[in-house]
Amino acid sequence: MATPVKDPLTGAETTGHVWDDSLQEFNNPLPRWWLWTFYGTIIFTIVYWVMYPSWPIGKTYLKGIGNEITYKTDAGEEKSTHWNMRALLAHDMQNGTEAIKQQEYLAKVGAASYQQIAQDPDMSSFVRSYGVGMFGDNCAACHQSGGQGVVGMYPNLVDDDWLWGGDTSTIENTLRYGRMGYMPAYSKTFDETQLNQVANYVLTLSGEPAVDATAAAEGQKIFQGQTGGCYMCHTKEGKGMHAQGSANLTDKVWTIANLPAAETPEAKLEAVKAVIHNGVKRQMPVFGKDGRNLSDTEIKVLVAYLQQMSGGAGAQ
């Protein structure tokens, strides 16, 4: 071990280490500010270990003391737990300044009518900002982020053509209790000739040219007669009924048969024939009680948002 010696020029104590016969290592003490900072980090570490989750112990870990966080779960129940980032985020989102303002606006919207919401710029703006998140969480997976839907599977919500009706009370009922879209398959009812005839007639209802005009004339008899019985749901005029969710076949809005993608009359005919042959069976989930459990106010916000997306027709 090197023996400490004094530097002959400065008189400072050295460690005795010398390089190149002239370069010496001084043995100066550490600055006090550095030492106190170092000691402070040690104290901080000990306090942190005591207060917050830290060391693992077997299959669990030290959860700390005095760090309890209370927040509400998605089901509305209060839950208390030790400090963690998820609990802290939930607490801050529910108790921060913005969260309080959000709750105030939700209460305001919940107490207003749909007409008042539509006429109030502040409430309308809130519905747009809050509703887009709700729509993304609950509806976009099927109806797409912009509400355009998927032809053949999920209805378009922005075209103002609602199978079950587009007024606010009906949309609210749809969200609260869900819907079952059903049309029987005619695969065992119609033979190929009859299927071709009815499909040709259905095309003419929306102004599309029939591939076979003679077949379309026969198809009308089947559509409006006992053999097909199509009129019982779609009416004799083919305009459908909101009470049953049956499609209007005269408005050029196709929710199941993808006619917009068909490039030829023959392709359009095949698309209609496929729907008649296979039928329709699709279900929209329940978002009210015993479903996804959206609150009454959340359902109201979502209804108002859907009304804005579709142009606001039917609001009341």
Side-chain angles (χ1 to χ4, degrees):
M1 181 176 180
T3 302
V5 296
K6 298 285 187 178
D7 177 57
L9 296 177
T10 63
E13 183 179 300
T14 72
T15 63
H17 299 153
V18 180
W19 292 270
D20 295 333
D21 297 326
S22 61
L23 185 62
Q24 301 185 71
E25 179 183 11
F26 284 3
N27 190 24
N28 291 328
L30 293 170
R32 286 186 179 275
W33 68 265
W34 192 96
L35 284 173
W36 284 114
T37 302
F38 177 67
Y39 296 146
T41 60
I42 295 175
I43 295 171
F44 173 82
T45 301
I46 295 172
V47 172
Y48 189 93
W49 283 347
V50 171
M51 292 185 62
Y52 293 96
S54 55
W55 294 105
I57 301 177
K59 294 183 178 181
T60 183
Y61 54 91
L62 294 177
K63 296 178 173 60
I65 60 175
N67 62 13
E68 186 177 86
I69 295 178
T70 301
Y71 65 97
K72 288 186 178 181
T73 65
D74 292 339
E77 301 173 350
E78 277 202 355
K79 181 179 180 179
S80 295
T81 183
H82 62 82
W83 185 96
N84 61 76
M85 290 301 294
R86 289 185 179 181
L88 180 63
L89 176 62
H91 177 272
D92 289 349
M93 289 183 67
Q94 294 166 7
N95 297 278
T97 302
E98 292 301 318
I100 293 173
K101 289 182 179 179
Q102 188 178 85
Q103 293 302 315
E104 290 175 351
Y105 263 104
L106 281 172
K108 186 177 180 180
V109 169
S113 68
Y114 289 109
Q115 187 173 12
Q116 290 172 327
I117 295 171
Q119 293 176 347
D120 187 293
D122 288 339
M123 283 196 286
S124 292
S125 178
F126 174 77
V127 163
R128 280 193 298 274
S129 61
Y130 193 82
V132 69
M134 289 190 63
F135 187 88
D137 291 342
N138 297 282
C139 313
C142 294
H143 296 284
Q144 309 301 296
S145 59
Q148 300 91 344
V150 179
V151 177
M153 298 179 69
Y154 311 110
N156 185 336
L157 303 180
V158 298
D159 60 5
D160 199 26
D161 187 83
W162 298 76
L163 292 174
W164 300 91
D167 61 277
T168 51
S169 61
T170 302
I171 298 175
E172 183 174 315
N173 193 62
T174 297
L175 289 171
R176 196 178 298 279
Y177 303 108
R179 294 291 186 185
M180 172 63 81
Y182 177 76
M183 170 182 154
Y186 283 84
S187 55
K188 296 182 180 180
T189 305
F190 296 157
D191 58 28
E192 184 61 30
T193 299
Q194 292 172 315
L195 181 62
N196 185 67
Q197 291 169 340
V198 175
N200 269 281
Y201 175 66
V202 170
L203 281 176
T204 66
L205 287 172
S206 63
E208 295 285 347
V211 175
D212 186 333
T214 302
E218 293 300 317
Q220 180 177 11
K221 298 176 185 177
I222 299 173
F223 186 96
Q224 298 185 359
Q226 294 301 318
T227 304
C230 310
Y231 73 93
M232 289 188 286
C233 291
H234 294 284
T235 74
K236 287 187 176 295
E237 296 78 19
K239 294 187 177 297
M241 289 189 289
H242 287 157
Q244 296 190 35
S246 54
N248 183 342
L249 304 177
T250 69
D251 59 4
K252 295 182 179 292
V253 176
W254 299 90
T255 61
I256 305 295
N258 194 0
L259 263 68
E263 297 181 354
T264 64
E266 290 76 15
K268 294 179 180 180
L269 179 66
E270 290 302 318
V272 174
K273 286 172 64 175
V275 176
I276 299 172
H277 182 273
N278 300 323
V280 176
K281 187 176 182 180
R282 58 184 182 179
Q283 185 172 6
M284 175 181 161
V286 174
F287 286 90
K289 186 179 179 182
D290 300 326
R292 299 198 179 184
N293 291 317
L294 294 184
S295 68
D296 290 344
T297 300
E298 288 174 324
I299 288 177
K300 176 172 277 190
V301 170
L302 197 48
V303 171
Y305 178 73
L306 288 170
Q307 281 290 312
Q308 290 185 7
M309 287 180 65
S310 64
Q316 50 182 261

